[in-house]
Amino acid sequence: MKPRTLAGADVRAGRNIVPPRRPYPVLLPRGVIGREPAERLCLVRGRGALVWDSAGRQLVDTLAGLGQCAVGYGRTELADAAAAQMRELAAFPLHAGPVNEPALLLAERLAELSPVAGSRVSFTSSGSEGVETALKLARLAHFQHDGSDRPLVLALDGGYHGMTAGALAVTTSPAAHRGLGPPSGHVLRLTRPDPSRLGPHPVPALLAELERALARAGPHRVSALIGEPVLGFAGNIVPPEGYWPGVRRVLDDHGILLIADEVATGYGRTGDWFASPRFGMCPDLVVTAKALTSGYIPMGAVLTGERALRMLDGFPLLHGFTASGHATAAAVALANLDIIERERLAQRAAETGARLLAALRPLEELPWVRAVRGCGLMLAVEFTEDPAVAERARLLPGRAAEAGVLIPTAHPVIRLTPPLVITDVQAQRIADVVTGEVRRLGG
C-alpha cells in the first residue's frame, strides 16, 4: 500500500511541498505560531538540533518539542532499540502479573541515577500521570503511616504540573482552568520564588508565607508540597539560593512530604542528571518524563525515596496504567540514557547554556526587558508589562523563523530549551537572532 503523505509530500524523504490551506480534522491549542493547523509551521524532518518545515526552511530548534528532545532528532539508535524490542516483546504492563526485562533494567538504572536515596520506580506514560501518581502516593503514605487524612497540597503560583484532573489542580493556568470551574479547594498556593519580582533577598518572606499558610490550613491536613526545582512554564525561573533548603526544613517540622516535579528539568537539561540536588531540594518523590526517552516514545517514571517507602510499607497499593513499564518504551529509555551519558550531554548543557546566557545578558539593559535568566539549557528572556511591546512581540516567532530560528510564543517571556546536542554555531545563531529581534521590540 502506498504510504499516506501530507498534501502529496513525501514526508519520509523530507520533500519541500507546502501543505494546502484547508481545515484539518485535528484539535490543537490556540496561540502557538498560528491559530489553525494550516496556518502553523508544518515540520517534516529533524536532525540533531535542526528541523525542516514543509516549505524547505531549515530552522534551529529552541523548543526541543516541549523540552523533551534531549539527544536531538534523527537518532537511529533509538529507532533501532524500539524496532528490536518490538520484534521480541512490544509491551506487557507490570501490574498485570508478569514483568518484562527492559522495565526491570530501566528501574535499576533509574534507581542508581535518582537524587533520592533508596528509590523505587513507578512507571507512567507522561508527566501528568507521574504527578497524579506522586500526589496519590504522598496522601496514601500518611494514611498508611498513622491513619491520618491529609487532603491538602501546597503548590507554587506559576507552577505547571500537567493537564489531567489532579495535575491540573496543582497547575497555575487560568486559561487551562477556564470552563472547568474553580481550581480544587485542596490546593494551597504559594508565591513563586522569582527574584526578578521579589528583589534580591526574598527567602525569609517566602518561608514566612509558607508558615502562615500551614498555620491557617492546619499542617496535619497537608500531605505534600509539589514544586519544580526551576519553574519552567512560568518562565524558566531559577529560585534564589537557600529557597528549597528552607522549604525542606519547614516541611520537615510538620512531617510533610516534598515532591520534585523534574519532568522538564530531569536527565541533563540543567547541567546535571537532576536539578533538585543543585538547589538543595532533597525531595521525597521525584516525577520525571520528557527527556527520559527524548520524546521518541511516551514514558515517565516516579522515583519514591526511603522516607515515603517506609511510610507506605505494607500498603496494598492499587495503582497503574495499561502502559506502565511499556517494554518498548523502556528499551528506548535505556538507549537514550546511554547516549546522554556517553556524549556527556549534561555537561554540554551546562557549558553551552552558560555561553548562551552570557550572550543574552546584555538584553537586560533594555527598558522593556525585565530579566534574562537561565540554568543549563533552560533559559528565558522576560519582558515588562508594556502593551506596545506585547503587541510587537506577537510577530517575533514569525520573524525569527524567517531568520532560521524556531522559537515559541514570545510574550511575556521567551523560553529557550533547545536539544542538548546543539552546537556552538547553532547556539550563537539563536543568540544573534533573539538579540536582534528583542532589540527591535523597542519600536
Side-chain angles (χ1 to χ4, degrees), residues 156-157 190-209 228-231 236-249 275-281 361 373-375:
L156 303 184
D157 178 51
L190 301 171
T191 301
R192 71 185 74 175
D194 184 354
S196 72
R197 295 176 181 271
L198 302 176
H201 305 292
V203 172
L206 291 170
L207 297 183
E209 178 196 45
E228 304 157 89
V230 177
L231 280 76
N236 292 345
I237 295 172
V238 181
E241 184 177 356
Y243 174 72
W244 282 118
V247 168
R248 174 80 268 184
R249 288 192 298 271
S276 47
R278 167 178 291 200
F279 295 101
M281 199 171 181
R361 279 288 189 203
R373 55 181 172 259
C375 180

Side-chain angles (χ1 to χ4, degrees), residues 362-370 382-386 389 442:
L363 292 175
E364 286 189 314
E365 301 171 359
L366 301 175
W368 53 90
V369 173
R370 179 189 297 278
E382 183 176 359
F383 304 115
T384 58
E385 304 297 329
D386 184 332
V389 172

Side-chain angles (χ1 to χ4, degrees), residues 94 102-108 110 121-126 129 133 292 299-302 319-321 323-326 330:
L94 294 184
L104 294 180
L105 294 175
L106 180 59
E108 288 182 341
L110 293 178
V121 182
S122 304
F123 288 113
T124 68
S125 296
S126 69
E129 285 185 2
T133 298
L292 173 59
M299 192 176 208
V302 178
H319 183 75
F321 307 95
S324 294
H326 193 284

Side-chain angles (χ1 to χ4, degrees), residues 139 142-143 146-151 220-222:
R139 187 167 179 181
H142 288 288
F143 177 80
D146 59 12
S148 63
D149 179 21
R150 296 195 178 207
H220 60 285
R221 301 183 64 232
V222 179

Side-chain angles (χ1 to χ4, degrees), residues 42-136:
C42 179
L43 303 181
V44 297
R45 186 161 56 98
R47 291 294 182 274
L50 299 175
V51 293
W52 284 261
D53 71 2
S54 55
R57 289 185 299 187
Q58 175 184 286
L59 305 160
V60 180
D61 177 26
T62 72
L63 287 75
L66 286 173
Q68 71 264 36
C69 193
V71 302
Y73 304 101
R75 302 299 297 238
T76 57
E77 306 100 308
L78 302 188
D80 292 344
Q85 184 59 44
M86 285 181 177
R87 293 188 187 101
E88 298 298 323
L89 178 69
F92 206 96
L94 294 184
H95 59 284
V99 295
N100 67 78
E101 186 178 44
L104 294 180
L105 294 175
L106 180 59
E108 288 182 341
R109 184 77 177 275
L110 293 178
E112 292 171 358
L113 293 173
S114 174
V116 186
S119 287
R120 298 184 71 178
V121 182
S122 304
F123 288 113
T124 68
S125 296
S126 69
S128 295
E129 285 185 2
V131 168
E132 300 274 356
T133 298
L135 293 173
K136 183 176 181 179

Side-chain angles (χ1 to χ4, degrees), residues 387-431:
V389 172
E391 184 64 29
R392 288 191 285 271
R394 292 190 179 93
L395 303 175
L396 200 155
R399 290 204 299 258
E402 291 297 328
V405 175
L406 181 66
I407 67 170
T409 303
H411 197 270
V413 60
I414 303 174
R415 293 185 293 128
L416 304 172
T417 56
L420 308 190
V421 295
I422 190 167
T423 67
D424 290 343
V425 171
Q426 293 162 352
Q428 187 59 53
R429 182 63 181 163
I430 293 172

